[in-house]
Amino acid sequence: MVFKIGIDSVEIERIRKSIEKDTFIKRVYGERELEELREKNMPAQSAAACFCAKEAFSKAIGTGVTGFNLNEVETLHCESGKPYLVFRGSAEKIVEQSGFSFDISITHTDTTATAVVIAFKE
């Protein structure tokens, strides 16, 4: 089995300021992801965790944020609260070509959000 890992952390205050701008929101968050965030009144710590997940994904696949748009990678949640990634557009093509499946863990404190993405395949 092959494993790759990506991790990212961000200061929540940085994202709190960024989500005040529509251009940032449109560039970073997908439609379903935004629905989830808005249902919770757009908490900065959740928006920051979603942002970290995208960065961690880009590190796990080894491309950095190139070849896809951030809003093509969405962090959604099961009823239990467990996060999972959904891909669209160019990100979906990269995932299909890579043959990897992904698992994710996200967390935050009052000041920092962190995400870890594990890519795996046989």
Side-chain angles (χ1 to χ4, degrees), residues 5 20 36 43 48 51 64 75 84:
I5 190 165
E20 293 174 3
E36 276 194 15
F51 179 84
T75 304
Y84 63 95

Side-chain angles (χ1 to χ4, degrees), residues 55-122:
E55 293 282 337
F57 162 76
S58 75
K59 293 171 183 176
I61 60 170
T63 65
V65 184
T66 56
F68 68 95
N69 296 316
L70 289 174
N71 62 13
E72 294 175 336
V73 179
E74 294 183 283
T75 304
L76 303 177
H77 298 82
C78 298
E79 278 190 39
S80 67
K82 181 182 179 355
Y84 63 95
L85 296 174
V86 174
F87 308 100
R88 295 181 299 102
S90 298
E92 184 176 27
K93 289 178 186 166
I94 290 170
V95 167
E96 288 171 357
Q97 290 171 352
S98 76
F100 281 99
S101 295
F102 299 88
D103 201 5
I104 179 172
S105 182
I106 56 178
T107 190
H108 62 78
T109 65
D110 289 338
T111 60
T112 307
T114 302
V116 175
V117 172
I118 298 173
F120 57 94
K121 68 179 171 181
E122 293 291 327

